[in-house]
Amino acid sequence: MFDLSGKVAVVTGGSRGIGRACAKSLAARGAHVVITYVGGEQAAAQTVADIEAAGGKAEAERFDVADMTAAETAIAEVAKRLGRLDILVANAGISIDGLLLRLKEEDLDRTLAVNLKGAIACAKAAIKPMMRTKAGRIVFLSSVVGEMGNAGQTSYAASKAGLIGAAKSLAREYASRQITVNCVTPGYIETDMTGDLNEAQRQAMLTGVPLGRPGTADEVAAAVTFLASPEAAYVTGHVLRVNGGMLI
Ligand code: NAD
């Protein structure tokens, strides 16, 4: 099950958190994984070293997903150099939270540019080599917040809801080429992104989680790995929730 031998995968934002867990999981099943990052060169190198130490193949590429030309150039170069591209996990994301009345234009622009435009730019670049092999798996990391909204997260929720619309459109557009496009919507997952929450905020968040605990990056990676696998060949345009029951 979930054999990815001989496949090439790109995981954006794979230097830490959910992206790192996805990269490790895909590599453990045989994929050659290219992780991308924008800062944190050391963290990226550590992810590569961890994968190699476990017997897998990995490398790191630095580019900002919000720069469409840079994203397209880097992904095209990976596909050319490694001869193929089978899997894209568009995971890179940021959250700049706050109430609408305090929203700064540059924060809105940056959130949409990284989370939404960045994922679409990477998908555009990945689709081309996937069309040549008439196969491919694209997984967008959306969020439960994109499905249910959250006070103080208007820009972030809009970007994550946008990914669901984008995935469903791409799923229809490229189904004839056997390229599947799906979303995973994590709930409250313990990573650096949620590390700023204080204990009161953490407890408040957990009251909305029937399973009574935060999720782990590995639990999200398991869902991503399924969608990236040959076993998920008949699953496209789907939104797979990994949220502990936060939204049912
Ligand atoms: P994280 O902050 O730990 O990691 C984010 C990664 O994205 C980092 O590797 C970072 O370098 C990369 N990144 C950020 N901006 C980038 C850019 N412009 N170009 C390239 N890379 C960039 O976050 P995480 O918690 O691991 O989240 C991963 C994804 O899952 C994000 O899209 C996030 O929105 C989503 N998500 C997280 C949670 C959660 O509770 N942690 C919940 C739902 C969805």
Side-chain angles (χ1 to χ4, degrees):
M1 291 270 276
F2 308 151
D3 181 6
L4 301 177
S5 312
K7 308 280 188 204
V8 172
V10 168
V11 180
T12 67
S15 61
R16 65 184 205 196
I18 292 169
R20 172 183 278 177
C22 291
K24 285 183 172 181
S25 176
L26 298 176
R29 281 154 187 85
H32 182 136
V33 180
V34 180
I35 63 157
T36 83
Y37 66 100
V38 69
E41 194 168 352
Q42 232 179 332
Q46 188 60 53
T47 305
V48 170
D50 289 351
I51 290 172
E52 287 175 344
K57 290 191 211 107
E59 53 191 273
E61 285 272 339
R62 186 179 186 286
F63 65 88
D64 182 347
V65 294
D67 178 343
M68 193 155 181
T69 307
E72 289 195 77
T73 307
I75 291 176
E77 185 277 324
V78 165
K80 191 173 173 204
R81 182 163 48 79
L82 298 177
R84 57 191 298 129
L85 178 56
D86 305 283
I87 299 162
L88 168 70
V89 181
N91 162 82
I94 55 168
S95 65
I96 309 172
D97 300 339
L99 300 176
L100 182 68
L101 294 182
R102 294 198 192 124
L103 181 69
K104 292 192 196 126
E105 184 178 357
E106 69 255 35
D107 291 346
L108 172 62
D109 286 347
R110 184 67 186 158
T111 304
L112 294 176
V114 174
N115 295 3
L116 185 55
K117 189 180 102 177
I120 293 172
C122 292
K124 185 182 174 207
I127 287 278
K128 290 175 193 163
M130 289 176 181
M131 282 173 68
R132 284 198 284 276
T133 51
K134 290 197 173 57
R137 298 276 182 273
I138 296 177
V139 183
F140 288 155
L141 264 295
S142 173
S143 168
V144 67
V145 165
E147 296 180 278
M148 63 188 272
N150 195 24
Q153 290 200 297
T154 297
S155 315
Y156 180 76
S159 70
K160 294 298 181 178
L163 285 178
I164 295 175
K168 290 186 178 188
S169 300
L170 292 173
R172 290 183 186 278
E173 202 167 306
Y174 294 99
S176 64
R177 308 295 180 120
Q178 306 304 314
I179 298 167
T180 67
V181 189
N182 293 288
C183 280
V184 170
T185 53
Y188 170 27
I189 310 298
E190 265 180 345
T191 66
D192 289 348
M193 188 178 267
T194 50
D196 290 345
L197 298 178
N198 62 37
E199 192 49 31
Q201 290 170 316
R202 189 175 181 276
Q203 286 310 324
M205 191 84 101
L206 285 179
T207 57
V209 181
L211 285 178
R213 64 170 178 85
T216 67
D218 286 339
E219 287 169 327
V220 179
V224 170
T225 303
F226 164 66
L227 291 172
S229 74
E231 281 77 6
Y234 207 55
V235 182
T236 196
H238 186 66
V239 178
L240 181 48
R241 294 175 177 166
V242 185
N243 64 27
M246 200 175 194
L247 177 67
I248 290 177

